[in-house]
Coordinates of all heavy atoms in Angstrom, one line a residue:
Chain B
Q60 N 175.1 11.1 37.0 CA 174.1 11.9 36.5 C 174.7 13.1 35.9 O 174.7 14.2 36.4 CB 173.2 12.4 37.7 CG 172.4 11.3 38.3 CD 171.6 11.8 39.5 OE1 172.1 12.4 40.4 NE2 170.3 11.6 39.4
P61 N 175.2 13.0 34.7 CA 175.9 14.1 34.0 C 175.0 15.2 33.7 O 175.4 16.4 33.6 CB 176.4 13.4 32.7 CG 175.6 12.2 32.5 CD 175.1 11.8 33.8
Q62 N 173.7 15.0 33.5 CA 172.8 16.1 33.2 C 172.5 17.0 34.4 O 172.1 18.1 34.3 CB 171.4 15.6 32.6 CG 170.5 15.0 33.7 CD 170.8 13.5 33.9 OE1 171.9 13.0 33.6 NE2 169.9 12.8 34.6
R63 N 172.8 16.5 35.5 CA 172.7 17.3 36.7 C 174.0 17.9 37.0 O 174.8 17.4 37.7 CB 172.3 16.4 37.9 CG 171.0 16.7 38.5 CD 170.8 15.7 39.6 NE 170.7 16.4 40.9 CZ 169.7 17.0 41.4 NH1 168.6 17.2 40.6 NH2 169.7 17.6 42.6
R64 N 174.2 19.1 36.4 CA 175.4 19.8 36.6 C 175.4 20.3 38.1 O 174.4 20.4 38.7 CB 175.6 20.9 35.6 CG 175.8 20.4 34.2 CD 175.8 21.5 33.3 NE 177.0 22.4 33.6 CZ 177.1 23.5 33.0 NH1 176.2 24.0 32.1 NH2 178.1 24.3 33.3
G65 N 176.6 20.6 38.5 CA 176.8 20.9 39.9 C 175.8 22.0 40.4 O 175.8 23.1 39.9
E66 N 175.0 21.6 41.4 CA 174.1 22.5 41.9 C 174.7 23.1 43.2 O 175.6 22.5 43.8 CB 172.8 21.8 42.3 CG 172.1 21.3 41.0 CD 170.8 20.6 41.4 OE1 170.5 20.5 42.6 OE2 170.0 20.3 40.4
Y67 N 174.1 24.2 43.6 CA 174.7 24.8 44.8 C 173.8 24.5 46.0 O 172.6 24.7 46.0 CB 174.7 26.4 44.6 CG 175.9 26.8 43.7 CD1 175.8 26.8 42.4 CD2 177.1 27.2 44.3 CE1 176.8 27.1 41.6 CE2 178.1 27.6 43.5 CZ 178.0 27.5 42.1 OH 179.1 27.9 41.4
N68 N 174.4 24.0 47.1 CA 173.7 23.7 48.3 C 174.3 24.5 49.4 O 175.4 24.9 49.4 CB 173.8 22.2 48.6 CG 173.2 21.4 47.5 OD1 172.1 21.7 46.9 ND2 173.9 20.3 47.1
V69 N 173.4 24.6 50.5 CA 173.9 25.4 51.6 C 175.1 24.7 52.3 O 175.1 23.5 52.5 CB 172.8 25.5 52.7 CG1 173.3 26.2 53.9 CG2 171.6 26.3 52.1
Y70 N 176.1 25.4 52.5 CA 177.4 24.9 53.0 C 177.5 25.3 54.5 O 177.9 24.6 55.3 CB 178.5 25.4 52.1 CG 179.9 24.9 52.5 CD1 180.2 23.6 52.5 CD2 180.9 25.8 52.9 CE1 181.5 23.2 52.8 CE2 182.1 25.5 53.2 CZ 182.4 24.1 53.2 OH 183.7 23.7 53.5
S71 N 177.3 26.6 54.7 CA 177.5 27.1 56.1 C 176.6 28.3 56.3 O 176.3 29.1 55.3 CB 178.9 27.5 56.3 OG 179.1 28.2 57.5
T72 N 176.1 28.5 57.5 CA 175.3 29.7 57.8 C 175.8 30.2 59.2 O 176.0 29.4 60.1 CB 173.8 29.3 58.0 OG1 173.4 28.7 56.8 CG2 173.0 30.5 58.2
F73 N 176.1 31.5 59.2 CA 176.5 32.0 60.5 C 176.1 33.4 60.7 O 175.8 34.1 59.7 CB 178.0 31.9 60.7 CG 178.8 32.5 59.6 CD1 179.3 33.8 59.7 CD2 179.2 31.8 58.4 CE1 180.1 34.4 58.7 CE2 179.9 32.4 57.4 CZ 180.4 33.7 57.6
Q74 N 176.0 33.9 61.9 CA 175.6 35.3 62.2 C 176.9 36.1 62.2 O 177.7 35.9 63.0 CB 174.9 35.3 63.5 CG 174.4 36.7 63.9 CD 173.1 37.0 63.2 OE1 172.3 36.1 62.9 NE2 172.9 38.3 62.9
S75 N 177.0 36.9 61.2 CA 178.3 37.7 61.1 C 178.3 38.9 61.9 O 179.2 39.2 62.7 CB 178.5 38.1 59.6 OG 179.5 39.0 59.5
H76 N 177.2 39.7 61.8 CA 177.1 41.0 62.6 C 175.9 41.0 63.4 O 174.8 40.5 63.0 CB 177.2 42.2 61.6 CG 178.5 42.4 61.0 ND1 179.1 41.6 60.0 CD2 179.4 43.4 61.3 CE1 180.3 42.1 59.7 NE2 180.5 43.2 60.4
E77 N 176.0 41.7 64.5 CA 174.8 41.9 65.4 C 174.5 43.4 65.4 O 175.3 44.2 65.2 CB 175.1 41.4 66.8 CG 175.4 40.0 66.9 CD 174.1 39.1 67.0 OE1 173.0 39.7 67.0 OE2 174.3 37.9 67.2
P78 N 173.2 43.7 65.7 CA 172.9 45.2 65.8 C 173.7 45.7 67.0 O 173.8 45.1 68.0 CB 171.4 45.2 66.0 CG 171.0 43.8 66.2 CD 172.0 42.9 65.8
E79 N 174.2 46.9 66.9 CA 174.9 47.6 67.9 C 174.3 48.9 68.2 O 173.6 49.5 67.4 CB 176.4 47.7 67.5 CG 177.2 46.5 67.5 CD 178.5 46.7 66.9 OE1 179.2 47.7 67.3 OE2 178.9 45.9 66.0
F80 N 174.7 49.5 69.3 CA 174.3 50.8 69.6 C 175.5 51.6 70.0 O 176.3 51.3 70.9 CB 173.3 50.8 70.8 CG 172.5 52.0 71.0 CD1 171.5 52.3 70.1 CD2 172.9 53.0 71.9 CE1 170.7 53.5 70.2 CE2 172.1 54.1 72.0 CZ 171.1 54.4 71.2
D81 N 175.6 52.8 69.3 CA 176.7 53.7 69.6 C 176.2 54.6 70.7 O 175.4 55.5 70.4 CB 177.1 54.4 68.3 CG 178.3 55.4 68.5 OD1 178.5 55.8 69.7 OD2 178.9 55.7 67.5
Y82 N 176.7 54.5 71.9 CA 176.1 55.3 73.0 C 176.5 56.7 72.9 O 175.8 57.6 73.3 CB 176.5 54.7 74.3 CG 175.9 53.3 74.5 CD1 176.7 52.1 74.3 CD2 174.6 53.1 75.0 CE1 176.1 50.9 74.4 CE2 174.0 51.9 75.1 CZ 174.8 50.8 74.9 OH 174.2 49.5 75.0
L83 N 177.7 56.9 72.4 CA 178.2 58.3 72.3 C 177.3 59.2 71.4 O 177.0 60.3 71.7 CB 179.6 58.3 71.8 CG 180.6 59.4 72.2 CD1 180.6 59.5 73.7 CD2 181.9 59.2 71.6
K84 N 176.9 58.6 70.3 CA 176.1 59.4 69.3 C 174.7 59.0 69.3 O 173.9 59.6 68.5 CB 176.7 59.1 67.9 CG 178.1 59.6 67.7 CD 178.5 59.3 66.2 CE 180.0 59.4 66.1 NZ 180.5 58.9 64.9
S85 N 174.3 58.1 70.2 CA 172.9 57.7 70.3 C 172.4 57.2 68.9 O 171.4 57.6 68.4 CB 172.0 58.8 70.8 OG 172.2 59.1 72.1
L86 N 173.2 56.4 68.3 CA 172.9 55.9 67.0 C 172.8 54.4 67.0 O 173.7 53.7 67.6 CB 173.9 56.3 66.0 CG 173.9 57.7 65.4 CD1 175.0 57.8 64.4 CD2 172.6 58.0 64.8
E87 N 171.8 53.8 66.3 CA 171.8 52.4 66.2 C 172.7 52.0 65.0 O 172.5 52.7 63.9 CB 170.4 51.9 66.0 CG 170.3 50.4 66.3 CD 168.9 49.9 66.2 OE1 168.0 50.7 66.0 OE2 168.7 48.7 66.3
I88 N 173.5 51.0 65.1 CA 174.3 50.5 63.9 C 173.6 49.3 63.4 O 173.5 48.3 64.1 CB 175.7 50.3 64.4 CG1 176.3 51.5 64.9 CG2 176.5 49.8 63.2 CD1 177.7 51.3 65.6
E89 N 173.2 49.4 62.1 CA 172.5 48.3 61.5 C 173.4 47.1 61.3 O 174.6 47.2 61.0 CB 172.0 48.7 60.1 CG 170.7 49.4 60.2 CD 170.1 49.6 58.8 OE1 170.7 50.4 58.0 OE2 169.2 48.9 58.4
E90 N 172.8 45.9 61.4 CA 173.6 44.7 61.3 C 173.6 44.2 59.8 O 174.3 43.2 59.5 CB 173.1 43.6 62.2 CG 171.7 43.1 61.8 CD 170.5 43.9 62.3 OE1 170.8 45.1 62.6 OE2 169.4 43.4 62.5
K91 N 173.0 44.9 59.0 CA 172.9 44.5 57.6 C 174.3 44.4 57.0 O 175.1 45.3 57.1 CB 172.1 45.6 56.8 CG 172.1 45.4 55.3 CD 171.1 46.3 54.6 CE 171.6 47.7 54.5 NZ 172.2 48.0 53.2

Side-chain angles (χ1 to χ4, degrees):
Chain B
Q60 289 181 306
Q62 74 276 14
R63 240 179 115 78
R64 293 176 61 190
E66 295 180 355
Y67 284 84
N68 300 315
V69 177
Y70 180 63
S71 171
T72 305
F73 57 94
Q74 185 76 33
S75 170
H76 286 73
E77 299 274 1
E79 289 171 47
F80 196 78
D81 181 339
Y82 295 98
L83 207 57
K84 296 181 193 166
S85 290
L86 282 182
E87 198 179 353
I88 300 170
E89 277 189 287
E90 67 276 26
K91 173 170 77 96

